Amino acid sequence: MRARSRKADFFTAIRSQRLIAAVKEPAQVAQAEAAGLRVVFHLVGTIYDVAETVRRRSPGTLVFCHVDLIQGLAKDEVGMRLLAHDFGVDGILTTRRHLIKPAQDLGLVAILRLFLMDSEGLRTALEMARGVRADAVEILPAVAVPFVAHRLPFGELPPAISGGLVERPEQVEAILRTPVMAVSTSHQPLWTWRPRPEPAPDLDA
């Protein structure tokens, strides 16, 4: 799949579903697909687990690999080439900004993860985001986003998603009232959540 097609498919999926399944084992990809989700973030395990997740996915499902936490994967250009050419993943998640461009050059969608632990962490995260041209950023933890959204220069950042510590529908709804495009979660009961349709305009008003 060409890089432009992967990126377009990713944004199309998250605009419509607003939810991303974060999985920790290959068997969960089928559960995510059964819930109707088309984007899967493989978070932990080994390179063999990633290969199995890709093997189990259905056509049209996009698999992203959190490269920082995968055992047996080199955190360099060779590792990115392995993911792109041998494993067939669609994108990566990473806190390592030096991996963003090599991944993109290989046709992968590259998402930079940003942790907002305190004010200094926020400043560092924003500097990192401005220093690379990631396809998107993932802001963590998601539950903090509604409280600090006024401090986040969304217009200066790549498109934003968010994840971490999300367990309830009302949390998802609060996060998506900010400029965040989608929420990633490993909490399976949320995988069937969908945004409420916008009310039809009152034409008689």
Side-chain angles (χ1 to χ4, degrees):
M1 184 184 295
R2 293 179 302 172
R4 184 174 298 178
S5 176
R6 283 192 178 109
K7 187 174 177 179
D9 287 349
F10 170 68
F11 284 116
T12 296
I14 66 172
R15 283 190 186 102
S16 63
Q17 299 175 332
R18 310 298 302 277
L19 208 64
I20 296 165
V23 307
K24 298 179 180 179
E25 55 186 43
Q28 290 180 302
V29 72
Q31 297 162 358
E33 290 175 343
L37 299 181
R38 290 181 50 216
V39 181
V40 171
F41 287 175
H42 187 110
L43 298 184
V44 296
T46 70
I47 55 174
Y48 299 108
D49 295 322
V50 175
E52 182 66 10
T53 294
V54 173
R55 188 189 70 80
R56 290 183 179 221
R57 69 160 171 204
S58 300
T61 297
L62 303 177
V63 173
F64 285 63
C65 173
H66 185 355
V67 298
D68 301 8
L69 302 181
I70 299 301
Q71 300 174 45
L73 179 68
K75 283 37 173 198
D76 56 20
E77 186 174 348
V78 175
M80 301 306 97
R81 191 179 308 133
L82 181 73
L83 290 174
H85 294 165
D86 296 274
F87 287 8
V89 305
D90 298 289
I92 67 162
L93 309 160
T94 185
T95 61
R96 303 169 191 246
R97 61 182 181 179
H98 71 276
L99 296 180
I100 296 296
K101 189 174 186 303
Q104 292 170 325
D105 289 345
L106 290 161
L108 299 173
V109 180
I111 300 174
L112 182 67
R113 294 188 119 201
L114 305 175
F115 286 89
L116 308 183
M117 306 306 296
D118 51 29
S119 294
E120 182 62 22
L122 172 61
R123 184 187 65 79
T124 301
L126 294 178
E127 287 180 358
M128 183 184 303
R130 293 184 179 113
V132 297
R133 294 186 176 181
D135 296 303
V137 294
E138 183 178 26
I139 302 170
L140 299 100
V143 291
V145 169
F147 303 100
V148 298
H150 64 286
R151 299 180 61 181
L152 295 171
F154 286 101
E156 302 173 19
L157 297 174
I161 59 176
S162 194
L165 304 178
V166 180
E167 295 183 341
R168 301 193 307 275
E170 57 267 31
Q171 292 174 319
V172 177
E173 292 162 2
I175 295 160
L176 294 179
R177 283 195 289 270
T178 75
V180 165
M181 295 182 66
V183 173
S184 69
T185 179
S186 60
H187 190 60
Q188 288 184 234
L190 280 179
W191 289 356
T192 55
W193 177 91
R194 291 296 181 274
R196 300 174 186 175
E198 293 292 331
D202 185 354
L203 300 179
D204 296 326

